[in-house]
Amino acid sequence: SSTSLAIARYLKQHRYLTIITNSLAVSQEMLDAPGAVVVMPGGRLRRDTASLVGTDGLEMLRKFHIQMGFFGGHGMTIDAGLTDVSSDEAEVKRPLLAMCQQVTAVFDSSKWGKVGLVSFAALEQIDLIITDAAPARMTEQVKSFGVELELV
C-alpha cells in the first residue's frame, strides 16, 4: 500500500533496523538501505497487492521479538477495529500483530468509518494511531480504549 511504502521511505534513514514485511514493494524500497535487514515470510504471491500471503512462512517469525509493528488497513471503526478487504492479508497481519510489543495503525482519514471484509485488530490491541485527521465523534471513543492518536 502507499502507506506502507511511505513508512519504509521514512525508516530507510535509520540504522540497525530489521523490517518484517510481506510487501514486495517495501522490500524493494529497502534495497538501498544499508542499515536495514529485511525479512519476508514465505507464502503465495498476491498479484493485485504485490504481497506474499498465507501462514506458511509465519513459523519462522515466531523466534523474533518485534518491538514495533506498523499496520495499514482498509478501514477503522470502533466495533470492527482495523479491517482489510482481503482475508489472505488479514491472515498474515493477525499473527504478526500479536507478536508486536507495540502496535501502530497508520492510515489516512478516508479509512475512518469504513469496514473491510475481515477484522485483524481490535482497538484493544492498538497502542497508537497515526493519521492525517480523525472525526471528532470517534476521537474520544478511540482514546477511551487507551489508544493514543497522533495527527500528522
Side-chain angles (χ1 to χ4, degrees), residues 22 44-46 48-49 51-55 58 84-95 117-118:
N22 69 329
R44 298 179 317 278
L45 176 63
R46 184 168 179 233
D48 60 328
T49 59
S51 60
L52 299 174
V53 295
T55 57
L58 290 176
D84 207 306
V85 293
S86 165
S87 60
D88 286 335
E89 292 283 346
E91 184 179 38
V92 172
K93 290 178 179 181
R94 199 175 291 118
L117 177 65
V118 61

Side-chain angles (χ1 to χ4, degrees), residues 1 3 7-8 16 24 34 36 54 56 58 64 71 78 92 110-111 134 136 139-140 144:
S1 74
T3 302
I7 292 168
Y16 312 112
L24 298 177
D56 294 342
L58 290 176
F64 292 103
F71 296 87
I78 301 300
V92 172
S110 71
K111 309 295 184 183
T139 300
E140 288 308 313
S144 74

